[in-house]
Amino acid sequence: MYEQEVNRLQEIIDDSSRIVFFGGAGVSTESNIPDFRSADGLYQQDYKYSPEQIVSRTFFVRNTEGFYEFYKNKMMFLDAGPNAAHLKLAELEEKGKLTAVITQNIDGLHQAAGSKNVLELHGSIHRNYCRECGEFYDAHYVKYSEGIPKCKCGGIIKPDVVLYEEGLDSMIIQRSIQAISGADTLIIGGTSLVVYPAAGFIDYFRGKHLVVINKSETAREVGAELSIAAPIGEILGQITVS
């Protein structure tokens, strides 16, 4: 299935030496991590508050317990493992074909697969810090703390993830733009390109090949040379890296 599209993608990858991958939640759905916007995503489920409200800075401050109840159950999947997409991207980097992975995901699965240059636009569940003293705590401590995770100093722990109403890290933004600007091929995968400013980064691409791999149509027309409407792991898993 998708034989013609996969063959064309193979040709593009063979012709490339500075690939950058820009990915979203759809990269991790094949690892059984739900996304937000699909038919069975978090936005379609019934909660007292919308997911946007719950994962906002205001909600975290005003209803920290409610935030963590949702966050632990719906956004922390510590048993999830890398899928074929994560593994293939790590292989492309190892072989010197891929220069950076830019991800909107917070699950750390790219690093678990072996990718080294991962730019996490929205942070990571694996980094957590006390708001009082700055002490570091891992994801396991947060996930299995009862109620609100607390530091040994008594302070409340906050995950190093970008909540609604918070800005992206300026250094990560700069490095992402530099990576995309220097790429000969940009592969966009598993994202509907809804979330800004991240979705606007692709405007900095001036390279040769632009590819989109996403199960549904993207929210903006990007003029891709190749567009494949399929699960990204299913597609990338068929690519060979020489």
Side-chain angles (χ1 to χ4, degrees):
M1 200 170 179
Y2 303 106
E3 182 178 357
Q4 185 175 349
E5 292 92 337
V6 171
N7 287 341
R8 179 58 189 141
L9 179 60
Q10 184 72 64
E11 291 173 353
I12 289 172
I13 288 175
D14 290 344
D15 185 49
S16 307
S17 59
R18 298 185 313 280
I19 300 170
V20 168
F21 179 80
F22 182 96
V27 179
S28 293
T29 53
E30 289 168 275
S31 295
N32 296 317
I33 295 179
D35 63 7
F36 275 69
R37 292 179 172 80
S38 68
D40 55 353
L42 292 180
Y43 284 0
Q44 311 307 320
Q45 300 179 28
D46 189 23
Y47 303 109
K48 184 178 178 181
Y49 303 97
S50 72
E52 290 108 324
Q53 285 178 291
I54 298 172
V55 292
S56 70
R57 181 169 185 84
T58 296
F59 196 92
F60 175 83
V61 171
R62 294 180 180 174
N63 189 352
T64 310
E65 189 169 5
F67 167 87
Y68 267 116
E69 183 179 353
F70 178 89
Y71 179 75
K72 291 179 189 180
N73 291 328
K74 299 297 184 181
M75 299 182 72
M76 299 186 78
F77 297 88
L78 303 190
D79 294 331
N83 61 51
H86 299 105
L87 295 170
K88 188 60 64 175
L89 291 168
E91 184 183 357
L92 284 165
E93 183 185 50
E94 183 185 10
K95 295 293 179 64
K97 301 280 284 183
L98 182 143
T99 59
V101 168
I102 303 168
T103 181
Q104 298 175 86
N105 297 339
I106 60 174
D107 50 47
L109 291 183
H110 286 293
Q111 291 93 329
S115 290
K116 300 291 191 292
N117 190 25
V118 181
L119 301 172
E120 296 173 311
L121 294 174
H122 297 155
S124 173
I125 64 170
H126 297 284
R127 298 187 299 271
N128 306 273
Y129 300 95
C130 173
R131 299 182 75 199
E132 297 296 326
C133 72
E135 183 76 17
F136 170 87
Y137 289 90
D138 64 16
H140 188 275
Y141 181 88
V142 169
K143 173 84 170 177
Y144 298 106
S145 292
E146 187 174 339
I148 301 171
K150 296 285 186 68
C151 176
K152 58 191 176 185
C153 79
I156 293 173
I157 295 169
K158 182 183 181 295
D160 186 20
V161 298
V162 179
L163 305 177
Y164 286 101
E165 304 168 350
E166 293 181 335
L168 303 185
D169 183 290
S170 60
M171 184 61 70
I172 297 297
I173 290 175
Q174 183 180 352
R175 291 176 60 194
S176 297
I177 291 172
Q178 286 176 342
I180 291 172
S181 299
D184 58 9
T185 293
L186 177 62
I187 301 176
I188 300 169
T191 176
S192 55
L193 294 178
V194 168
V195 179
Y196 279 80
F201 289 176
I202 61 173
D203 295 333
Y204 291 91
F205 178 64
R206 296 291 183 270
K208 190 174 181 181
H209 304 293
L210 178 57
V211 177
V212 173
I213 308 171
N214 195 50
K215 282 175 29 175
S216 60
E217 289 187 16
T218 56
R220 51 175 291 182
E221 179 58 52
V222 296
E225 170 185 346
L226 176 64
S227 184
I228 308 175
I232 187 166
E234 180 182 333
I235 299 302
L236 287 184
Q238 300 180 60
I239 296 298
T240 58
V241 186
S242 57

